Amino acid sequence: MDVLVIGAGTGGMCLAHGLRQAGINVAVYERDRTRSDGLHGYRVGIDPHGSRALKACLPDQLYRTFVATCARAPEHFVFFDEQLRPTLALPLRPPTDDVDSEKSVSRMTLRQVLFTGMQDVIHFDKTFVGYRHQADGRVTAIFADGTTATGDLLVAADGVNSAVRRQYLPHARTEDTGIIAITAKVPMTPRSTALLPTRYFPGIGMVLAPGGKSCILHWMEFPWDRQGRPRNNDELLAQWPGLLFDNTRDYLNWGIAAAADTFPADVTGYGGDDLIRLALRMTPTWSPRLRELFTLGDPSTAFAITIRTSVPIPAWPSTNVTLLGDAIHTMTPGRGVGANTALRDAQRLTDELTLVRDGRKGLVEAVHDYETRMIEYGFQAVRDSREQMTADALVHKPVLGRVALAGMRGYLRVVDRVPALKRRMIDGLYEYRGGQD
Ligand SMILES: Cc1cc2nc3c(=O)[nH]c(=O)nc-3n(C[C@H](O)[C@H](O)[C@H](O)COP(=O)(O)OP(=O)(O)OC[C@H]3O[C@@H](n4cnc5c(N)ncnc54)[C@H](O)[C@@H]3O)c2cc1C
């Protein structure tokens, strides 16, 4: 069995590792020209679902390298008002288990981990443009440079604008949530870290402000120094070639989200300096410390993003073309589970294809069984994530928005003061993200 994977992102590469470990032939085709191309700049939270999938698919040593490359674990999840006053502070569980824990990773670092040892599997500079079936039922992928590749199964792992999905399921569309986010990284220095309340950081901050505006804050501290030298003489990291390709250094990350009509119409074309000026214009009454943090953003890391989401569709007849990750279930970052769901897909598809390898299932039957489950949890995650991040929410309405924000803050303050409610909220958070008690 030959498997062709389009896209060397989170889901595609996890699948490729899983298949290679299972002794199944796999080739990945990626449009980026080199392994360090692309703006893969933001923080991704890997939850226990994601960690379990990585643990199942990656060779043992590489999984340990993945754990070794994670940023320092956040100790609190705190809601603030726009004056940086806490309304609810949730203590997070310390990462005592390598798998069953929450992890903070740099997207670029995770990418480099997943590329490790896969030089013979990934083909860079291959932009997929279409596929066709052969007379014997096999499938041929066609690339922009005129080359082709033929296999038994074609897997779309090519992300939100999937070209495979456009051809295979043209009725599966994504739509705008009406939310835009602008974000930048701030180099971690004594000056920048002093702007955040030390009591709650390293942690994750969520500022809820009037006008439906919010701002996420992340503290990303890595186990290597400014020169990229592993701290604490970590042998695994010292041996890991990925560090040569990864320019991630300690940073703080801010990301302001609001309804699209609060942004200039052409914001997605703005350069870094303009985005930072815009962040200041959008937050004139916010805490001066937060505003200073915005000004310290590195313009070369700033970008604006339109938040899109898939529109769930009914199941389709399975064939030897399938999809995983954002290619089929793009979701808002509202629940922080897009990458985790892509990783779950990769693990499930690996398991199903292993049954095909063993002659215990036919290929299309295995694809069908994978898709049945994936459609269920994938589209559920799409719906849940959309609920958390949509311009239809009350907080974005002109008058009702103020009432809704006051109500939300009141509720958060009550939870903060009632230990049983707080515990229930923390348990719910971990349960949703696959954690065990
Ligand atoms: C700001 C932000 C924060 C997020 N935070 C989190 C978080 O905390 N936790 C979480 O779980 N998720 C998070 N996500 C979502 C997460 O990043 C995605 O869901 C995840 O990366 C999807 O993985 P994927 O493998 O499906 O696609 P991707 O990782 O996007 O990979 C797709 C790959 O396909 C390649 N490609 C595209 N088109 C072609 C083509 N035609 N030919 C060949 N190759 C192609 C691309 O170059 C890319 O390498 C966040 C997203 C955003 C935007």
Side-chain angles (χ1 to χ4, degrees), residues 82 180-182 209-214 254-264 267 270 274-286 291 294:
E82 74 278 14
I180 289 181
I182 59 177
K213 291 176 190 145
S214 64
W254 56 258
I256 299 174
D261 58 14
T262 27
F263 289 89
V267 64
Y270 272 31
D274 288 337
L275 287 171
I276 288 166
R277 274 194 289 272
L278 176 63
L280 291 174
R281 275 209 308 281
M282 288 178 71
T283 57
T285 59
W286 288 29
R291 285 165 50 80
F294 300 155

Side-chain angles (χ1 to χ4, degrees), residues 9-11 31 38-46 69 71 103-111 159-160 181-186 216-220 222 246-249 251-256 300-307 326 330-334 336-340 342:
T10 316
R31 71 176 169 194
L39 181 63
H40 305 286
Y42 51 86
R43 177 251 184 203
V44 175
I46 298 295
T69 59
K103 301 177 186 68
S104 271
V105 299
S106 145
R107 188 169 143 99
M108 185 47 128
T109 310
L110 176 60
R111 200 166 165 83
V160 52
I182 59 177
T183 177
K185 287 186 195 173
V186 177
I216 186 103
L217 301 165
H218 288 297
W219 176 293
M220 298 293 283
F222 296 94
D246 183 8
N247 59 7
T248 305
R249 298 293 180 262
Y251 66 89
L252 305 174
N253 197 185
W254 56 258
I256 299 174
S300 71
T301 65
F303 63 93
I305 179 170
T306 305
I307 306 293
D326 281 8
T330 298
M331 55 196 81
T332 80
V337 292
N340 290 299

Side-chain angles (χ1 to χ4, degrees), residues 53-66:
L54 287 166
K55 173 82 178 154
C57 292
L58 268 46
D60 273 350
Q61 169 147 344
L62 194 55
Y63 184 78
R64 283 190 282 120
T65 303
F66 156 69

Side-chain angles (χ1 to χ4, degrees), residues 69-311:
T69 59
C70 291
R72 187 167 164 188
E75 289 162 20
H76 304 270
F77 188 104
V78 188
F79 290 90
F80 295 100
D81 67 12
E82 74 278 14
Q83 299 310 324
L84 216 46
R85 288 177 300 225
T87 44
L88 167 63
L90 300 172
L92 297 178
R93 296 176 186 159
T96 47
D97 186 293
D98 270 359
V99 181
D100 192 20
S101 54
E102 288 285 335
K103 301 177 186 68
S104 271
V105 299
S106 145
R107 188 169 143 99
M108 185 47 128
T109 310
L110 176 60
R111 200 166 165 83
Q112 294 307 330
V113 167
L114 292 172
F115 286 164
T116 305
M118 297 295 268
Q119 294 81 336
D120 52 332
V121 172
I122 315 174
H123 305 266
F124 286 104
D125 204 7
K126 290 285 174 194
T127 300
F128 169 93
V129 290
Y131 68 84
R132 61 171 175 265
H133 277 100
Q134 303 293 343
D136 62 0
R138 298 186 95 209
V139 59
T140 296
I142 305 158
F143 302 102
D145 60 4
T147 58
T148 60
T150 298
D152 300 287
L153 176 68
L154 177 71
V155 182
D158 50 345
V160 52
N161 296 312
S162 171
V164 183
R165 182 190 67 230
R166 271 204 304 275
Q167 180 177 348
Y168 186 52
L169 300 174
H171 60 293
R173 43 183 199 93
T174 62
E175 68 182 16
D176 225 323
T177 57
I179 299 284
I180 289 181
I182 59 177
T183 177
K185 287 186 195 173
V186 177
M188 197 181 273
T189 63
R191 180 177 166 203
S192 60
T193 52
L195 295 170
L196 294 174
T198 45
R199 189 167 161 209
Y200 301 115
F201 287 89
I204 303 171
M206 171 58 84
V207 177
L208 298 178
K213 291 176 190 145
S214 64
C215 176
I216 186 103
L217 301 165
H218 288 297
W219 176 293
M220 298 293 283
E221 197 178 340
F222 296 94
W224 50 86
D225 64 16
R226 290 203 163 277
Q227 282 69 44
R229 284 181 310 232
R231 299 191 227 262
N232 308 325
N233 294 324
D234 187 315
E235 229 176 85
L236 259 183
L237 278 183
Q239 291 166 8
W240 179 53
L243 215 43
L244 299 173
F245 299 92
D246 183 8
N247 59 7
T248 305
R249 298 293 180 262
D250 294 352
Y251 66 89
L252 305 174
N253 197 185
W254 56 258
I256 299 174
D261 58 14
T262 27
F263 289 89
D266 55 348
V267 64
T268 49
Y270 272 31
D273 288 316
D274 288 337
L275 287 171
I276 288 166
R277 274 194 289 272
L278 176 63
L280 291 174
R281 275 209 308 281
M282 288 178 71
T283 57
T285 59
W286 288 29
S287 149
R289 288 161 68 180
L290 271 176
R291 285 165 50 80
E292 186 174 345
L293 194 69
F294 300 155
T295 59
L296 294 178
D298 172 355
S300 71
T301 65
F303 63 93
I305 179 170
T306 305
I307 306 293
R308 297 190 68 77
T309 181
S310 290
V311 179

